[in-house]
Amino acid sequence: DELAASYRDARPYPHGLIRGFCREGFLEDILTELKHNSKVKFKETDLFRVYQSIDLGNLKDDSELAAKIPALMKLKRAIYSPEYRSFVEKLAGLEPGTLTDEVDCAANCHAKGCHLLCHDDVIGTRKVSYIIYLTDPSPTWTDEDGGRLELYDAVPDGDGDATRRVPGALPARTILPEFNSMAFFAVEPGVSFHSVQEVFGDRPRLSLQGWYHAGESPGRMEDATLRRLKS
């Protein structure tokens, strides 16, 4: 109830942050597995610059790679489970059954100079975005490393349409990517504006990131960042 209330009252739009997400030692095991076994591809567009693995949803339990990453596969099964989807629905104030069994999850690596420009995450049926931070626990991640999650107010875009919003010029809140924490928020067209600050240091900003999906696309898709960029 406390987490749900914190999520509901958060600004600039509802979002949550769970510290101490997993028991001590578990994410350390996952971090080690990723560093030794995960293969990533460099991706760069006008919006982002990042190294990303395959979607873990496509990774079979009996595959050769899965056998090398047992802790990560255990976490995958947990966050894909109906029980955890129900937990996310409760935290985000969603009606039971809103989230389907479609879940995305990939390992992201933001190395020095990598970033993600401001957008709202709206594509298809995405409903809740989540990020599990795997930054090196020692020494702890600091502002000198960069890579903060940045959340923006939605403000009138000044074109005469009072209902259409754009992100504010500066972040209204920023979140340091602390090891063993999970940030999450509902995806909403023209509302869930966020970015990832450029990584300044030499250490990689590692995370597991993805989306829970709903049964249908959200309303006001015309306000979505991607739709507006294409119009």
Side-chain angles (χ1 to χ4, degrees):
D1 290 342
E2 184 177 342
L3 285 172
S6 175
Y7 174 93
R8 183 182 63 247
D9 296 336
R11 296 293 179 268
Y13 50 81
H15 64 274
L17 179 65
I18 302 175
R19 293 185 172 90
F21 177 64
C22 292
R23 62 170 172 79
E24 185 175 351
F26 183 61
L27 286 190
E28 285 86 348
D29 291 342
I30 290 177
L31 182 57
T32 299
E33 291 176 356
L34 283 173
K35 287 182 175 180
H36 287 88
N37 299 289
S38 180
K39 295 181 179 180
V40 296
K41 291 183 179 180
F42 178 66
K43 297 183 178 182
E44 184 173 19
T45 69
D46 292 340
L47 182 66
F48 59 80
R49 178 184 175 95
V50 67
Y51 293 85
Q52 190 174 66
S53 78
I54 62 171
D55 188 328
L56 297 179
N58 297 324
L59 187 59
K60 303 298 184 183
D61 289 344
D62 58 355
S63 67
E64 181 179 350
L65 178 56
K68 297 178 180 179
I69 51 173
L72 180 55
M73 294 301 292
K74 184 176 181 179
L75 178 61
K76 173 199 165 183
R77 288 190 293 271
I79 62 180
Y80 278 57
S81 69
E83 294 81 7
Y84 197 77
R85 288 202 306 272
S86 295
F87 175 65
V88 171
E89 287 173 340
K90 182 178 180 181
L91 292 183
L94 302 175
E95 290 293 326
T98 297
L99 302 179
T100 69
D101 60 2
E102 182 180 359
V103 184
D104 303 317
C105 183
N108 287 339
C109 173
H110 288 81
K112 187 174 184 178
C114 288
H115 60 273
L116 174 63
L117 298 182
C118 188
H119 64 297
D120 61 15
D121 255 8
V122 176
I123 295 179
T125 58
R126 290 177 180 175
K127 187 64 179 178
V128 175
S129 178
Y130 67 91
I131 314 102
I132 301 169
Y133 293 114
L134 297 170
T135 48
D136 279 324
S138 181
T140 56
W141 197 267
T142 69
D143 280 328
E144 293 181 355
D145 295 303
R148 277 183 173 267
L149 175 64
E150 302 174 317
L151 309 181
Y152 295 79
D153 280 313
V155 300
D157 70 356
D159 68 352
D161 184 351
T163 65
R164 179 165 288 188
R165 303 280 171 162
V166 295
L170 297 173
R173 187 192 176 189
T174 64
I175 296 173
L176 196 68
E178 297 175 347
F179 180 77
N180 197 17
S181 64
M182 185 185 84
F184 62 99
F185 54 86
V187 174
E188 186 175 348
V191 174
S192 51
F193 293 121
H194 64 284
S195 62
V196 173
Q197 179 190 35
E198 180 180 344
V199 173
F200 304 133
D202 294 325
R203 293 190 297 164
R205 177 191 187 271
L206 297 175
S207 65
L208 296 175
Q209 190 274 326
W211 298 271
Y212 290 93
H213 288 254
E216 57 185 20
S217 300
R220 296 193 63 86
M221 285 292 287
E222 66 274 13
D223 291 340
T225 305
L226 183 62
R227 184 73 61 87
R228 296 187 68 182
L229 288 173
K230 289 182 175 179
S231 62

